[in-house]
């Protein structure tokens, strides 16, 4: 009887540890499946990317990031997530093709905002169409390896 109780206690400890590890991984990492063509040729539909959850302070210009779909987005993607490239961060010059330019003729990205473009402009709805994305919508930065496709890492 004591052996059965010891095994049950060991299994319960293992289950609690596994749940804690799963909770920690979900808080730090995010796996996103690519559904559209906006990031071609970098990412293709069916690819999966791993993103490290972060804030605006954790990204650099040129990083591929995951954001929540902004309010008012016409066609919500699966899971409400978008994968785009960070082109300009707060304080950076505003690219000329951004849809919404700063008020008052300012030429810098305002605090708490960022400019995101898809790598495939004809197939991407991004800052060229809707303007700035907010830092509160930022979920994470894609980490290497850059692509996990159906055939394995590429």
């Amino acid at each position: 009887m004591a052996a059965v109780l010891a095994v049950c206690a060991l299994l319960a400890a293992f289950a609690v540890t596994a749940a804690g590890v799963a909770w920690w991984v979900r808080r730090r990492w995010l796996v996103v499946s690519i559904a559209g063509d906006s990031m071609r040729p970098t990412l293709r539909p069916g690819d999966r990317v791993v993103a490290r959850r972060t804030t605006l302070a954790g990204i650099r210009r040129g990083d591929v990031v995951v954001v929540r779909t902004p309010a008012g987005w016409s066609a919500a993607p699966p899971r409400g997530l978008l994968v785009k490239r960070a082109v300009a961060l707060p304080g950076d010059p505003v690219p000329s093709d951004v849809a919404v330019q700063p008020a008052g003729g300012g030429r810098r990205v305002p605090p708490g905002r960022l400019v995101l473009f898809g790598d495939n402009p004809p197939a991407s709805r991004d800052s060229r169409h809707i303007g700035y994305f907010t830092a509160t919508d930022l979920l994470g930065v894609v980490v290497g390896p850059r692509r996990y496709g159906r055939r394995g890492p590429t």
Side-chain angles (χ1 to χ4, degrees), residues 39-102:
M39 286 300 291
R40 276 186 184 267
T42 308
L43 300 168
R44 299 179 306 253
D47 289 345
R48 289 183 307 270
V49 294
V50 176
R52 178 181 37 84
R53 292 183 187 267
T54 190
T55 62
L56 188 56
I59 66 169
R60 296 183 308 251
R61 204 173 310 102
D63 282 345
V64 176
V65 298
V66 178
V67 293
R68 286 185 200 94
T69 305
W73 195 266
S74 61
R79 292 181 59 190
L81 303 177
L82 301 172
V83 177
K84 304 290 181 191
R85 187 171 304 279
V87 176
L89 304 173
D92 287 347
V94 177
S96 61
D97 47 356
V98 170
V100 179
Q101 293 294 321

Side-chain angles (χ1 to χ4, degrees), residues 1-18:
M1 184 65 160
V4 171
L5 289 176
V7 168
C8 287
L10 185 62
L11 289 175
F14 176 75
V16 168
T17 302

